[in-house]
Amino acid sequence: MHETIQGTRPGDRTIRLTRPGEQKLRRIGAGAFEATINVLRPTTRLGRWTANLRHVLIGRPIATADQAHERLSKFKALAVFSSDNLSSSAYATEEILLVLILAGTGSLNYSVPIAFAIACLAAIVVTSYVQLVRAYPGGGGAYAVTKENLGTSTSLVIGSTLFVDYILTVAVSTAAGVAAITSAAPELYSARIEIAVAFVALLTLGNLRGIRESGSLFAIPPYIFILSFGGMLGVGLVRLLLGDDLHAATQTRALEEGTQALTLFLLLRAFSSGAAALTGIEAIADGVPSFKAPEARNASVTLVWMACILGSFFIGTTILATQFDIIPAEDRTVVSQIASTVFGDGPLFYVVQVSTAMILVLAANTAFAGLPTLASVMARDRVMPTQFAFRGDRLAFSNGILVLGAASSAVLVLFEADTHKLIPLYAFGVFVAFTMSQAGMVVHWRRLRTPHWRAYLALNALGMLVTGVVAVIVGATKFVDGAWLSMSAMGVLYVVLWSITKHYEDSNDQLGVGLTDERSIAEHFYGVSSGRAHTVIVPVEQINRAVLRTVAYARTLSAQAVAVYVTDEREAGDAFRRQWEESVPDVPLTVVESPYRSLIEPLMAFIEGMDRTQPGQAVTVVLPEYVVKRVWHRALHNQLGVRLKKALRSRPNTIIVEVPYHLER
Amino acid sequence: MHETIQGTRPGDRTIRLTRPGEQKLRRIGAGAFEATINVLRPTTRLGRWTANLRHVLIGRPIATADQAHERLSKFKALAVFSSDNLSSSAYATEEILLVLILAGTGSLNYSVPIAFAIACLAAIVVTSYVQLVRAYPGGGGAYAVTKENLGTSTSLVIGSTLFVDYILTVAVSTAAGVAAITSAAPELYSARIEIAVAFVALLTLGNLRGIRESGSLFAIPPYIFILSFGGMLGVGLVRLLLGDDLHAATQTRALEEGTQALTLFLLLRAFSSGAAALTGIEAIADGVPSFKAPEARNASVTLVWMACILGSFFIGTTILATQFDIIPAEDRTVVSQIASTVFGDGPLFYVVQVSTAMILVLAANTAFAGLPTLASVMARDRVMPTQFAFRGDRLAFSNGILVLGAASSAVLVLFEADTHKLIPLYAFGVFVAFTMSQAGMVVHWRRLRTPHWRAYLALNALGMLVTGVVAVIVGATKFVDGAWLSMSAMGVLYVVLWSITKHYEDSNDQLGVGLTDERSIAEHFYGVSSGRAHTVIVPVEQINRAVLRTVAYARTLSAQAVAVYVTDEREAGDAFRRQWEESVPDVPLTVVESPYRSLIEPLMAFIEGMDRTQPGQAVTVVLPEYVVKRVWHRALHNQLGVRLKKALRSRPNTIIVEVPYHLER
């Protein structure tokens, strides 16, 4: 047995297998194997059952080599990533009008220039993000650009604000969708939290199936929305140009005095409210690696398409609202007023309404595409736990998806799926991210000085200024209504991320010391050559088969292994020694009398003593471990092991080896 | 370094110490050491703090050798063990009268013959227990005699009934004591549960200080009770004999018709109610090892003394109650009526009242002396977890004391410290124990046939019969009022004890197989000679100092140690191999490609493959373990170790070794 091992390189021995069809490892070179799909084949009934459940819920595992097939085409990507952004055309105009009307109906006409100004801002931000995507094709968006140009600490600010905003995106859009359902079917109102959480669970599951499949699953509603909403705006504008006299049917737009004066601040507030339309631009930059190659190019093209659609929808909606003399009402949205003005009460009206409701819910899906990829980028940078970089069975970043699903469900439960409570918490984070990412780009241009860098720099500086102002206004106006809560959450998250980063850096410092010097490995660390003895101690409590096997194992580690028995009665010690010398004559026994009945402390003293005789060497403590069939049986065994492990945990250079003994009953 | 070990017997090397005053182990012979008190000296600030707290609360540790000094003298033992028993003289007569009065005041005179009958029963039971104590001086009472004569299964019935009864004794007597306090100070009524639990905590702490000290702490009230109660009865009887015409002051004893006929069943019920006076006899038999040597003799003498005091108190109380024409009343106990008849309203009356209240509470202390010793006897027999056999710092069976304190506190909270809810649960178990212990003694006599065995056998058979009838009556009459609950608890406890016994027996069977054949220990178990190589595998995830030290350790175990790296990308595997061969040229690396990104399954397949090439040998898997300073840092490391340990847990002959690497930040 022993001789066959000598001289061969163990890793190269052919792995013998029971049956050819069940081969688990395939030899692919010297010391190199490839695992087959067989390694995943469960061996127990429970294992098979859970594997089948996984296959039904999220599908069969996909090999890493097939990753390229799992990417998104521009067509699907537009559906996945634009949902959040385009859904804002459903409410951005209304948000502007709701602020302006405070200064009277006469001021509503200011909405058109404001909409154009926001479109300009969007153009600046999108241009800057196109540059950003090309400069950071690995994904991570604002986080990546900030990390490289403004340092890790600043990038953690971005990470925490974006995480909170993504979680809130899921919560807000789900709550809005559920609100649409419960206003149609009020009897479901009491179950709204359950319905909202069920929606999130559905999105989580869909995204665990992999980005391509979730893209297919959730692609149709965005395109129905684009077609019907675009159609509505087109028909409306054409009819206006043809001179049809269209007005909102339900209201007459009399000149009314407002409660506030039309100040610059009010105009700025209206601008900030409408600027919520910009949320969702970040998601594409975060999710670049989800695109088919060439990733950066495809992402930029999708980004530009999305911006054009959003811009035209937003401006179109605003023009039509002004031309139709629409004023915001409590019981009817601006979009539904436009739709009914253009289409009357026909089926097209309902198509616009239903597809608008669906895009509002699917805005959550964009967050599921953005956050997990961002988290994976951060995990690779070791500012998040490494688990977030792991791709699951379907190549999706499962841990990020699960955490997002759980966190947004928690938010929904906490705020009772109430949009009015949730909306004030939202949108601050993304403007902080915009501001910082443009600041990062400013540094980027100063650093690289590529052609036309001055123009780009100026553009980004302007973008930074404007988004910064919006961030301040959004934060200030929403602060008391709830933004303080999301800001606090961002603060806490920042501390968590910072601590993780710090710990990984510390670990790295400690683990990397003198790495290049280590060649003669066993000698360097333990001062002994390979396979030579070191201190091996076996604490024994009784003589049985498990103990004997443990002692046997200790002997294979070292011929100098020594057993130690602690007793509180001298007679018991003598009796044990007689029994021991009869059973195991080749392993010396030390008996330690413990007059105060303590067990761990005398053992520790003995181990310390042994250690002192051979300083620097490793001390190995070998213990039997009774592996039991039932959980409660554990309380009946291994007390010494549990306590000794705890006591030895802080001792340097001490290794505890538990030799398992399987009890079948 | 290595040479100094060769040839010497490691256990015999002198243990070198840093400073002479801090010697922890003293060499007392070849391979034999004695731990000094220094091993208990805490090294950390927290350790010193908790040690000081322990010293204040329960006192400094006592050496096992001083065990003899910690035993109880007969004087203290009578106080500790008689509290429960003597406290029944406070209520047993009343219990009889409360049943008899159902048949009218005329039938109250039957209480005297019933009291004599109970005294006879007590005499039989005590005689039998004196024999029992001599036959089983190791303690355990009814349990021990049943186990030897009627088998383990039957003895577990006794164990479970006695445990439940002891717990209920503590709960009932504490609740009764608190009821006495709250009837004096009604404003404390709402805090009665807290007060009761505080009493139990006090008793627990007192008993953790060791039996001798708890004996001293709680010895005075029982003797005050004996003196005052005995004095009251003596004065009363003398005055009756002298012809004083004494009658209960508050009531006239008119002949009243009862609601029930005076049937034999009613008389039996009265007898059973009064028989509650016998509880507490068992405790002495359980606690024999707590007596000073000669244990059995001292315990028997104490038992006889206790029985004589109880008998005279009980008969005396019953005679006086009858002679004084006392009828049980709702607002005044029979004892207080006797006391006020004998002493009037003077200070002696209050001494009787207060000492009676105190003995009622201290009945709980008897259970603290009984249950832990019984549990320790059962743990030594391996029908209870071995932890119960362990003597704490003060030689008390700490675990039994703590469990009794916790369980009775739970019962008090559950039943809101309400005696009316608790009393029906109680007293059934002890009569089952009496019956079974006498049955056990019957078998004992038949087996041993010592002189006069036929007479003893007849006595025990009679005792068995009578206590059996009482058990049935107590069980039947109290069943619906709550005894079903305690019986269910006994049933559950029986199943638990039986399962523990079964598991320890199973373990023993599995661990003891072929024990006498094992001599050539390493060869027998692993087919290799001492200190020779076996399969050692080191799964690695990266190259850092911790990993390198782990590999170095693996090399000290075996020159054939092999490292294995799992990757989901071939390029990453090649890059790692290059890095590895540069850092650790003397340890071969196997790279396993895992196309489905699974980590554990390919490792398991590799380990299985290695195992198949060397069947029967141990497989050692060596992993680095990052020991962190903060609990939450754990989530950032060791994921592979945690998952691999879980996966390898069920593999036979596979040993996982974690080499700790201490991260300081």
Side-chain angles (χ1 to χ4, degrees):
Chain A
M1 180 62 54
H2 193 66
E3 284 66 33
T4 63
I5 310 168
Q6 296 284 24
T8 67
R9 196 166 130 168
D12 279 353
R13 276 173 295 158
T14 309
I15 304 290
R16 273 196 271 143
L17 295 153
T18 36
R19 270 172 277 173
E22 292 184 354
Q23 193 181 20
K24 288 184 171 179
L25 295 181
R26 207 163 53 79
R27 192 164 179 280
I28 54 171
F33 294 89
E34 188 187 50
T36 68
I37 187 96
N38 287 333
V39 297
L40 296 181
R41 189 174 290 162
T43 50
T44 62
R45 184 181 296 254
L46 181 69
R48 272 194 295 278
W49 198 87
T50 50
N52 286 338
L53 186 72
R54 279 170 81 93
H55 294 167
V56 170
L57 287 178
I58 68 166
R60 298 192 166 272
I62 300 172
T64 311
D66 296 330
Q67 197 164 3
H69 306 296
E70 287 301 309
R71 302 295 187 78
L72 291 176
S73 64
K74 279 173 285 195
F75 181 80
K76 279 185 189 167
L78 184 65
V80 169
F81 284 108
S82 74
S83 296
D84 182 18
N85 193 252
L86 294 188
S87 71
S88 39
S89 27
Y91 56 80
T93 302
E94 187 159 351
E95 295 285 323
I96 298 172
L97 297 179
L98 278 168
V99 175
L100 289 177
I101 203 161
L102 296 172
T105 48
S107 56
L108 288 182
N109 286 331
Y110 284 96
S111 61
V112 176
I114 288 175
F116 273 99
I118 290 172
C120 283
L121 176 61
I124 294 171
V125 171
V126 165
T127 310
S128 145
Y129 265 85
V130 167
Q131 308 289 352
L132 193 157
V133 163
R134 288 195 179 150
Y136 302 93
Y143 159 78
V145 66
T146 322
K147 184 171 162 74
E148 183 157 314
N149 296 298
L150 306 176
T152 302
S153 296
T154 319
S155 73
L156 295 183
V157 176
I158 304 303
S160 45
T161 56
L162 283 179
F163 280 151
V164 171
D165 240 45
Y166 275 129
I167 292 165
L168 287 170
T169 301
V170 175
V172 168
S173 59
T174 314
V178 174
I181 292 174
T182 55
S183 66
E187 65 275 15
L188 291 176
Y189 183 77
S190 60
R192 70 192 184 286
I193 299 174
E194 288 81 353
I195 296 172
V197 172
F199 265 131
V200 172
L202 206 71
L203 283 170
T204 307
L205 214 56
N207 279 283
L208 284 177
R209 295 188 73 93
I211 184 115
R212 191 170 63 108
E213 214 168 306
S214 77
S216 310
L217 276 173
F218 303 126
I220 296 148
Y223 280 107
I224 296 179
F225 171 78
I226 291 172
L227 289 178
S228 61
F229 204 89
M232 173 188 79
L233 297 177
V235 171
L237 287 169
V238 166
R239 288 182 61 186
L240 272 181
L241 290 174
L242 295 177
D244 280 14
D245 187 28
L246 290 171
H247 285 285
T250 48
Q251 285 145 312
T252 52
R253 188 165 176 181
L255 268 173
E256 275 178 31
E257 281 292 312
T259 54
Q260 295 188 15
L262 186 69
T263 56
L264 181 66
F265 180 72
L266 197 78
L267 287 174
L268 274 178
R269 260 189 72 193
F271 178 82
S272 304
S273 299
L278 271 67
T279 60
I281 291 177
E282 170 71 24
I284 288 186
D286 285 340
V288 179
S290 305
F291 284 80
K292 275 193 197 302
E295 292 86 355
R297 204 187 126 67
N298 286 335
S300 320
V301 170
T302 310
L303 191 51
V304 171
W305 266 101
M306 182 177 86
C308 292
I309 297 172
L310 174 75
S312 49
F313 279 15
F314 180 41
I315 292 176
T317 309
T318 313
I319 289 175
L320 286 189
T322 317
Q323 293 296 322
F324 293 174
D325 293 339
I326 285 169
I327 57 169
E330 280 227 334
D331 55 342
R332 298 200 64 191
T333 61
V334 169
V335 169
S336 80
Q337 290 185 52
I338 294 175
S340 71
T341 311
V342 173
F343 293 135
D345 281 347
L348 285 172
F349 169 77
Y350 287 102
V351 171
V352 172
Q353 288 297 94
V354 170
S355 66
T356 306
M358 288 187 80
I359 199 94
L360 278 166
V361 176
L362 283 183
N365 198 40
T366 303
F368 275 101
L371 185 141
T373 317
L374 173 61
S376 78
V377 171
M378 292 173 70
R380 273 207 304 279
D381 288 351
R382 289 172 76 84
V383 303
M384 287 272 289
T386 45
Q387 290 95 318
F388 286 95
F390 174 77
R391 287 179 186 270
D393 280 356
R394 305 283 290 183
L395 288 164
F397 296 110
S398 323
N399 291 324
I401 292 171
L402 290 169
V403 167
L404 175 59
S408 53
S409 299
V411 170
L412 281 167
V413 171
L414 220 64
F415 291 87
E416 299 175 317
D418 186 339
T419 40
H420 298 291
K421 290 186 186 159
L422 284 166
I423 279 191
L425 277 69
Y426 175 60
F428 169 70
V430 81
F431 279 97
V432 174
F434 283 155
T435 313
M436 302 298 253
S437 72
Q438 315 227 35
M441 286 307 283
V442 167
V443 176
H444 174 85
W445 298 126
R446 275 181 60 106
R447 210 158 42 83
L448 294 190
R449 298 176 190 242
T450 44
H452 314 296
W453 68 275
R454 283 201 176 76
Y456 288 131
L457 190 151
L459 194 75
N460 286 134
L462 178 66
M464 176 182 82
L465 200 76
V466 181
T467 49
V469 168
V470 176
V472 170
I473 294 177
V474 169
T477 51
K478 291 181 166 183
F479 187 81
V480 286
D481 295 330
W484 65 271
L485 246 174
S486 39
M487 288 178 199
S488 314
M490 289 165 191
V492 170
L493 201 54
Y494 175 78
V495 172
V496 170
L497 291 179
W498 186 85
S499 310
I500 290 171
T501 309
K502 182 80 175 36
H503 178 69
Y504 275 138
E505 278 172 6
D506 285 347
S507 303
N508 214 35
D509 288 354
Q510 295 171 71
L511 291 167
V513 178
L515 200 67
T516 50
D517 298 341
E518 325 292 348
R519 291 288 164 97
S520 55
I521 190 161
E523 251 109 4
H524 174 91
F525 280 104
Y526 297 114
V528 293
S529 48
S530 307
R532 299 298 286 277
H534 58 268
T535 306
V536 175
I537 298 167
V538 191
V540 292
E541 288 184 298
Q542 50 183 311
I543 299 178
N544 65 32
R545 210 174 157 77
V547 170
L548 291 179
R549 222 180 55 170
T550 305
V551 174
Y553 181 79
R555 288 289 270 175
T556 71
L557 300 187
S558 162
Q560 269 77 42
V562 50
V564 54
Y565 177 74
V566 177
T567 175
D568 60 335
E569 278 170 21
R570 188 160 300 188
E571 301 75 47
D574 293 344
F576 189 84
R577 183 189 294 285
R578 280 192 298 277
Q579 204 193 341
W580 181 267
E581 282 170 354
E582 209 172 293
S583 305
V584 201
D586 55 341
V587 177
L589 175 78
T590 298
V591 174
V592 177
E593 226 182 288
S594 172
Y596 296 93
R597 297 166 304 289
S598 58
L599 185 55
I600 299 302
E601 291 83 358
L603 275 178
M604 293 287 291
F606 182 75
I607 292 167
E608 273 163 32
M610 292 291 280
D611 197 15
R612 255 184 245 110
T613 62
Q614 294 152 306
Q617 277 198 26
V619 175
T620 302
V621 178
V622 188
L623 286 166
E625 183 194 14
Y626 300 89
V627 180
V628 290
K629 284 274 165 187
R630 284 160 202 276
V631 174
W632 70 265
H633 285 170
R634 285 191 205 155
L636 305 176
H637 299 284
N638 303 329
Q639 279 97 34
L640 176 64
V642 170
R643 291 170 62 205
L644 201 56
K645 258 153 72 181
K646 208 177 140 199
L648 288 173
R649 201 173 163 75
S650 57
R651 260 188 71 83
N653 238 350
T654 305
I655 292 107
I656 302 167
V657 178
E658 289 179 300
V659 180
Y661 193 95
H662 291 259
L663 291 172
E664 298 304 320
R665 284 168 299 173
Chain B
M1 183 60 56
H2 193 66
E3 285 66 35
T4 62
I5 310 167
Q6 295 285 25
T8 67
R9 197 168 131 166
D12 279 353
R13 276 171 296 160
T14 309
I15 304 289
R16 275 195 269 142
L17 294 153
T18 35
R19 270 172 278 175
E22 292 184 355
Q23 192 181 23
K24 287 185 171 178
L25 295 181
R26 207 165 52 81
R27 191 160 179 283
I28 55 173
F33 293 89
E34 190 185 50
T36 68
I37 188 98
N38 286 335
V39 296
L40 296 182
R41 188 175 293 164
T43 50
T44 62
R45 183 182 296 252
L46 180 71
R48 272 193 295 278
W49 197 87
T50 50
N52 285 339
L53 187 72
R54 279 169 78 94
H55 294 169
V56 170
L57 286 178
I58 67 167
R60 298 194 166 270
I62 300 170
T64 312
D66 295 332
Q67 196 164 2
H69 306 297
E70 286 302 309
R71 302 295 187 80
L72 291 175
S73 64
K74 278 172 286 193
F75 181 80
K76 281 187 188 166
L78 184 64
V80 169
F81 284 107
S82 73
S83 295
D84 182 19
N85 194 251
L86 294 188
S87 72
S88 39
S89 27
Y91 56 79
T93 302
E94 187 158 351
E95 295 285 323
I96 297 172
L97 296 179
L98 277 170
V99 175
L100 289 177
I101 203 162
L102 295 173
T105 48
S107 55
L108 288 182
N109 287 332
Y110 284 96
S111 62
V112 177
I114 287 175
F116 273 101
I118 291 172
C120 283
L121 177 60
I124 293 172
V125 171
V126 166
T127 310
S128 144
Y129 266 85
V130 167
Q131 308 290 353
L132 193 158
V133 164
R134 289 192 177 153
Y136 301 94
Y143 159 78
V145 65
T146 320
K147 182 169 163 76
E148 182 157 315
N149 296 299
L150 304 176
T152 302
S153 296
T154 319
S155 73
L156 295 183
V157 176
I158 305 303
S160 45
T161 56
L162 284 178
F163 280 150
V164 171
D165 241 44
Y166 274 129
I167 292 165
L168 287 170
T169 301
V170 175
V172 168
S173 58
T174 316
V178 174
I181 292 173
T182 55
S183 67
E187 66 275 15
L188 291 176
Y189 183 78
S190 60
R192 70 191 184 286
I193 300 176
E194 288 83 351
I195 296 172
V197 172
F199 265 133
V200 172
L202 206 72
L203 284 170
T204 306
L205 214 55
N207 278 283
L208 284 177
R209 296 188 73 93
I211 186 114
R212 191 170 64 108
E213 214 167 306
S214 77
S216 310
L217 276 173
F218 303 127
I220 297 146
Y223 281 106
I224 297 179
F225 172 78
I226 291 172
L227 289 177
S228 62
F229 204 89
M232 171 187 81
L233 296 177
V235 171
L237 286 169
V238 166
R239 288 182 61 188
L240 271 181
L241 289 175
L242 293 177
D244 278 15
D245 188 29
L246 290 170
H247 284 285
T250 49
Q251 286 143 312
T252 52
R253 187 165 175 180
L255 266 173
E256 271 178 36
E257 280 293 310
T259 55
Q260 294 187 14
L262 186 69
T263 56
L264 179 66
F265 180 72
L266 198 78
L267 288 173
L268 275 176
R269 262 189 71 192
F271 177 81
S272 305
S273 299
L278 271 68
T279 61
I281 291 177
E282 171 71 24
I284 288 186
D286 285 339
V288 179
S290 305
F291 284 82
K292 277 195 197 298
E295 291 87 355
R297 204 190 124 68
N298 285 336
S300 320
V301 171
T302 311
L303 190 51
V304 170
W305 266 101
M306 181 176 88
C308 292
I309 297 171
L310 173 74
S312 49
F313 279 16
F314 181 40
I315 293 176
T317 311
T318 312
I319 289 174
L320 286 189
T322 316
Q323 292 295 323
F324 292 173
D325 293 340
I326 285 167
I327 59 170
E330 280 228 336
D331 55 341
R332 298 202 63 191
T333 62
V334 169
V335 169
S336 80
Q337 291 186 51
I338 294 175
S340 72
T341 312
V342 173
F343 292 136
D345 281 346
L348 284 173
F349 168 77
Y350 287 101
V351 171
V352 171
Q353 287 297 95
V354 170
S355 67
T356 305
M358 289 189 79
I359 198 96
L360 278 167
V361 176
L362 282 182
N365 198 39
T366 303
F368 275 100
L371 184 141
T373 318
L374 173 61
S376 79
V377 172
M378 291 173 70
R380 273 207 305 279
D381 287 351
R382 289 171 77 82
V383 302
M384 286 273 288
T386 44
Q387 290 95 317
F388 286 95
F390 174 77
R391 287 179 186 269
D393 280 356
R394 303 285 289 182
L395 289 165
F397 296 108
S398 321
N399 291 324
I401 292 170
L402 290 170
V403 166
L404 176 59
S408 52
S409 298
V411 169
L412 282 167
V413 171
L414 220 63
F415 290 88
E416 298 175 316
D418 184 338
T419 41
H420 298 292
K421 289 185 186 160
L422 284 167
I423 280 192
L425 277 67
Y426 175 61
F428 169 72
V430 81
F431 278 98
V432 173
F434 283 156
T435 312
M436 301 298 255
S437 73
Q438 313 228 36
M441 287 307 283
V442 167
V443 175
H444 174 85
W445 296 127
R446 273 179 61 104
R447 212 159 40 83
L448 294 189
R449 297 177 188 242
T450 44
H452 314 298
W453 68 275
R454 283 201 177 77
Y456 288 131
L457 189 150
L459 195 74
N460 286 133
L462 178 66
M464 174 181 82
L465 200 74
V466 180
T467 51
V469 169
V470 175
V472 170
I473 293 175
V474 169
T477 51
K478 292 182 166 183
F479 188 80
V480 286
D481 295 331
W484 66 271
L485 246 174
S486 39
M487 288 178 199
S488 311
M490 289 164 189
V492 171
L493 200 54
Y494 175 79
V495 172
V496 171
L497 291 179
W498 185 85
S499 309
I500 291 171
T501 309
K502 181 79 175 39
H503 178 69
Y504 275 137
E505 278 173 7
D506 284 348
S507 303
N508 214 34
D509 288 352
Q510 295 170 74
L511 291 167
V513 178
L515 200 67
T516 50
D517 298 342
E518 325 292 346
R519 293 287 163 97
S520 54
I521 191 161
E523 252 109 2
H524 174 90
F525 281 103
Y526 297 113
V528 292
S529 48
S530 307
R532 301 299 286 275
H534 59 270
T535 306
V536 175
I537 298 167
V538 192
V540 293
E541 290 184 296
Q542 50 184 309
I543 299 177
N544 65 31
R545 213 176 154 75
V547 170
L548 290 179
R549 220 180 58 171
T550 305
V551 174
Y553 181 77
R555 289 287 273 173
T556 70
L557 299 187
S558 162
Q560 270 76 42
V562 49
V564 55
Y565 176 73
V566 178
T567 175
D568 61 334
E569 277 170 23
R570 188 159 300 185
E571 300 75 47
D574 293 343
F576 189 84
R577 183 190 294 284
R578 280 192 298 277
Q579 202 193 343
W580 182 267
E581 282 170 356
E582 208 171 293
S583 306
V584 202
D586 55 340
V587 177
L589 174 79
T590 298
V591 174
V592 178
E593 224 183 289
S594 172
Y596 297 92
R597 296 166 305 286
S598 57
L599 185 56
I600 299 302
E601 291 82 358
L603 276 177
M604 293 288 290
F606 182 75
I607 292 166
E608 272 163 32
M610 292 293 281
D611 196 15
R612 256 184 245 109
T613 63
Q614 293 152 308
Q617 276 198 28
V619 175
T620 303
V621 179
V622 189
L623 287 166
E625 184 193 12
Y626 300 90
V627 180
V628 290
K629 283 274 166 188
R630 285 160 201 274
V631 174
W632 71 267
H633 285 171
R634 283 189 206 158
L636 305 176
H637 300 284
N638 303 329
Q639 279 97 32
L640 176 64
V642 170
R643 291 170 61 203
L644 202 56
K645 258 153 75 182
K646 208 179 140 198
L648 288 173
R649 201 174 163 73
S650 57
R651 260 189 70 83
N653 237 352
T654 305
I655 293 105
I656 302 167
V657 178
E658 289 178 299
V659 180
Y661 193 94
H662 291 258
L663 291 172
E664 298 305 320
R665 286 168 299 171

